[in-house]
Amino acid sequence: MSQLSAWDHPEPLALATAPLPEYGTGSLADLLPTLAAGMGVPGTTAAITELAPVDRACVFLVDGLGWEQLRAHPDEAPFLTSLLASSRGGTGRPLTAGYPATTATSLASVGTGLPPGAHGLPGYTVRDPATGALMNQLRWQPYTDPRAWQPYPTVFQLAHEAGVHAAQVSSPTFQHTPLTKVALSGGTFHGRLSGEERMDLAAGQLAAGDRSLVYTYYAELDGAGHRYGVASDTWRGQLMYVDRLAQRLAEQLPPRSALYVTADHGMIDVPFDEEHRFDFDTDWELSAGVALLGGEGRARHVYAVPGAENDVLTCWREVLGEQFWVASRDEAIEAGWFGPHVDERVYARLGDVVAAAYDDVLIIASEREPKESALVGNHGSMTPVEQLVPLLEVRS
Ligand SMILES: [Zn+2]
């Protein structure tokens, strides 16, 4: 086929070409169950077979630290770079975040040990089938009962019930949020403002039990990437700080323990022009027949006006199909984007059409999402740059 005829008859991206998260063998959801299984916690499975059991495990989750961004900045992260060879038990491989690669979804995957199709936080914003309105999963707005939304116990709860010392060390801001409740509850939450205090406290919590499962978190690398871009001076400064934090924690590990540095997703910069940013709010083709636009720029849930589902799918595929994987809800479920199984209560939270970016492009919404539409760095889709996250190991 000549170049010209390919241009005349654009082929939508085949859904089979989307690189799926490694649910069940090497995704974020597999990390805590693997660590807990190594401590003998009932109801957990060691899915990541490269990780040797350890009595005390601490997970340090750095928001937005993608595997590819870390690999590209060895000078800013000498300590983390020195750990790359130990990644995934020495195989030098990353984990996959899960779809979509976004904070609320990934934190729920980490804490529950379940893929998004089961824990039910499958996007930045999704439709609440009970109200028909969009719900922001990160801010938990509008409020809905967290226990009904995500009914499974967290791995911390399972560990706590099994006599393992479980603790979370994060910003005090997150102590009482519904997202913390559904994703991270079990054991005790310790709020500390500075990164250094969190590292020191995490090391202390690790030493507090014969068997311990500790989680700690740092947010600001992600914020720097969103505002200024990956590889901006601010982002690189944050990476240097994160590197020092990880080393500080590693140097305080008590005996029989391991530190795992990981992340919730990577990030990609998207140019500010109309070829890279499709504006849903001014594009009559994309907005025709759409009742609600959910998700985020690189991972959209599109909720159609009843009866318009097929028209919306056809149109989105025609307009965006060369640069996005565009699937119907059932196609995305069938392909396993949200995990091997989607719970019945989660089904209607997913878009009638699901669009995942392949190129460095976004579907912004300049009027309904002015803040999000102005971000430089973005994430959400299945490309390696946003999907792959490190799993770096330090053992005492
Ligand atoms: Zn983010």
Side-chain angles (χ1 to χ4, degrees), residues 279-280 282-290 311-312 315-316 318-319:
D279 191 349
F280 177 86
T282 59
D283 188 318
W284 61 268
E285 276 187 301
L286 291 181
S287 56
V290 176
D311 291 344
V312 172
C315 181
W316 276 58
E318 265 176 34
V319 175

Side-chain angles (χ1 to χ4, degrees), residues 63 103 222 226 265 267 379:
D63 203 315
T103 298
D222 181 67
H226 280 308
H265 54 75
M267 193 171 278
H379 51 79

Side-chain angles (χ1 to χ4, degrees), residues 56-60 165 167-170 190 192 194-209 212-217 245 248-250 252-254 257-259:
R56 297 163 164 158
C58 179
V59 171
F60 177 20
H165 181 77
Q168 305 83 33
V169 185
S170 186
H190 306 265
R192 290 294 183 277
S194 84
E196 286 85 356
E197 286 178 296
R198 283 179 217 160
M199 298 301 111
D200 299 351
L201 189 64
Q205 287 298 308
L206 208 49
S212 311
L213 185 62
V214 178
Y215 164 92
T216 186
Y217 172 80
L245 289 182
R248 182 183 181 109
L249 179 48
Q252 299 182 68
L253 288 183
S257 61
L259 165 64

